[in-house]
Amino acid sequence: MTRSYAVVISVVLPLIGGTHGFSPAKNNVATARNSWWSLHSTVTSDPTAPSSPWFADSDGDGASVPPSKDKLKAQILQLGAALDRGQSYNPTSGEYYSSSMDVARSKILSLVAMADADANIPKSLDDIAGEWELVFTTVKHGIFRSSPFFLAVQEAFEYAEEKEAFGQDKATLFFKLHELQTCSWGVSKIGRVAQRIDPIKGYLFSEFDTSIFSLTVIPILGWFKLLPTFGGCVVTASKAKLSDGGVVEMEVDYTTSRPVPGLSGLGEWIWSVKVPVGAVWKFLPWNKGRSASCSVTVRYVDEDFRIVEDKSGDFFVYSRPVVCRNLDV
């Protein structure tokens, strides 16, 4: 055993610079550590500078370099992760993270500006077919607003006789109140948000997972969950067609739900329910016979990235999913 240790030491020490016991090895480790900190402090001496060259918009000499499409996409994905797909910035709570949101929006606009009319603007639904997951949005008060149902609600307010209430845009006020009522005290939490485009059927299926009572306790006194967590995937099916300029025109048909693996549902009966939103919508007095229609414009698309803009100027960024999910509708 002693001889084995001697062999190991005789081999390892020269590799790390140790020739006279363990002291040189410690010195080398200390030297390496100091070198790393010196390099790190040099790279991050400017607190506003990116900590990685991959996210920098300049070369090693400080000269400005236009970012590539791949770099912009990586930056948007990183910001989407850091901002929880955009949910971390909420003006109802405060203005913190607003600067990060401004940077994210500028990155999106930069990528949109690089779009090639022939390669990055879709000409038919086939160009955007398949499954997409939401990775970032600049929209306020709820990432669920990527659903055509809420887009239709937003556009319906455009026909209101009075477009403001309490000094605010009615659509914005509606979404703010909806978010406060459904997401407070852990009552509801939005999980995966996705879209599935089927050019053969001419449909866009919008999905978002919602869990109910995910964090419910008695405030201050609570030390355990009061109620079990349950929920599912809400699916909104909309008729869809693509017009010139990448405009996706949609009309909401129905809403249903599907189970989410690992999440308890209300019961098997709920998965077969289809709410005929499109038919009911026209009979609501404030809609005055109009259909539940809405539209978004695809500003950029490639094999794994898609950016759409709604009529209010907010962006929704989607990517192809790493983990795909079947949708049986």
Side-chain angles (χ1 to χ4, degrees):
M1 181 68 69
T2 304
R3 184 176 181 181
S4 298
Y5 280 127
V7 172
V8 171
I9 291 172
S10 66
V11 172
V12 172
L13 284 183
L15 294 177
I16 60 176
T19 57
H20 301 288
F22 290 94
S23 297
K26 291 182 179 178
N27 291 336
N28 283 346
V29 171
T31 301
R33 185 187 300 117
N34 292 335
S35 298
W36 185 89
W37 278 112
S38 176
L39 174 63
H40 184 70
S41 62
T42 301
V43 174
T44 59
S45 58
D46 180 1
T48 64
S51 59
S52 168
W54 178 247
F55 295 122
D57 292 333
S58 60
D59 59 18
D61 297 326
S64 178
V65 176
S68 65
K69 288 183 179 181
D70 285 341
K71 181 178 286 189
L72 283 171
K73 290 196 289 185
Q75 291 172 339
I76 293 169
L77 288 171
Q78 192 278 334
L79 287 162
L83 291 169
D84 189 13
R85 294 173 292 175
Q87 295 182 106
S88 293
Y89 171 61
N90 189 320
T92 302
S93 304
E95 289 300 315
Y96 53 92
Y97 299 136
S98 60
S99 59
S100 296
M101 179 61 77
D102 291 340
V103 171
R105 188 179 185 88
S106 71
K107 299 296 181 183
I108 293 172
L109 289 171
S110 296
L111 184 55
V112 167
M114 298 174 71
D116 183 279
D118 294 325
N120 301 122
I121 303 299
K123 305 299 186 296
S124 68
L125 288 180
D126 293 286
D127 295 335
I128 54 175
E131 185 180 5
W132 300 87
E133 283 188 349
L134 183 73
V135 294
F136 185 74
T137 179
T138 62
V139 76
K140 306 177 185 68
H141 312 303
I143 58 176
F144 54 80
R145 287 176 56 182
S146 64
S147 167
F149 173 82
F150 290 102
L151 289 171
V153 170
Q154 181 180 356
E155 294 194 16
F157 278 107
E158 294 181 2
Y159 299 97
E161 294 180 1
E162 296 183 6
K163 294 181 173 55
E164 291 189 357
F166 304 103
Q168 296 187 53
D169 174 73
K170 277 189 174 182
T172 301
L173 182 61
F174 170 82
F175 291 125
K176 180 189 292 186
L177 294 175
H178 181 275
E179 182 187 39
L180 287 170
Q181 292 297 322
T182 58
C183 297
S184 297
W185 301 108
V187 174
S188 177
K189 184 177 180 180
I190 302 299
R192 173 182 178 271
V193 177
Q195 288 184 349
R196 200 176 308 258
I197 299 168
D198 188 336
I200 297 176
K201 293 181 178 180
Y203 266 77
L204 183 149
F205 299 95
S206 172
E207 313 163 45
F208 70 87
D209 295 350
T210 180
S211 57
I212 313 297
F213 302 137
S214 57
L215 293 173
T216 48
V217 298
I218 299 174
I220 308 300
L221 302 178
W223 299 99
F224 58 92
K225 273 178 56 60
L226 291 175
L227 299 168
T229 301
F230 64 94
C233 175
V234 179
V235 182
T236 299
S238 304
K239 301 172 185 176
K241 63 179 181 179
L242 195 132
S243 302
D244 293 340
V247 178
V248 182
E249 299 179 0
M250 296 168 283
E251 181 179 338
V252 179
D253 187 4
Y254 64 88
T255 295
T256 185
S257 60
R258 290 295 181 269
V260 174
L263 183 61
S264 299
L266 289 173
E268 291 297 325
W269 61 273
I270 194 70
W271 312 130
S272 60
V273 174
K274 283 188 177 182
V275 181
V277 175
V280 174
W281 188 278
K282 297 178 181 179
F283 292 101
L284 298 176
W286 51 84
N287 287 325
K288 300 178 180 180
R290 289 185 295 270
S291 61
S293 59
C294 59
S295 65
V296 295
T297 303
V298 180
R299 296 299 185 188
Y300 178 93
V301 67
D302 59 26
E303 65 276 4
D304 52 29
F305 223 67
R306 179 167 62 97
I307 299 174
V308 303
E309 182 181 8
D310 69 7
K311 288 191 172 181
S312 67
D314 281 306
F315 292 100
F316 297 88
V317 182
Y318 300 86
S319 73
R320 294 295 188 185
V322 175
V323 180
C324 299
R325 181 191 292 182
N326 292 327
L327 180 66
D328 181 17
V329 289

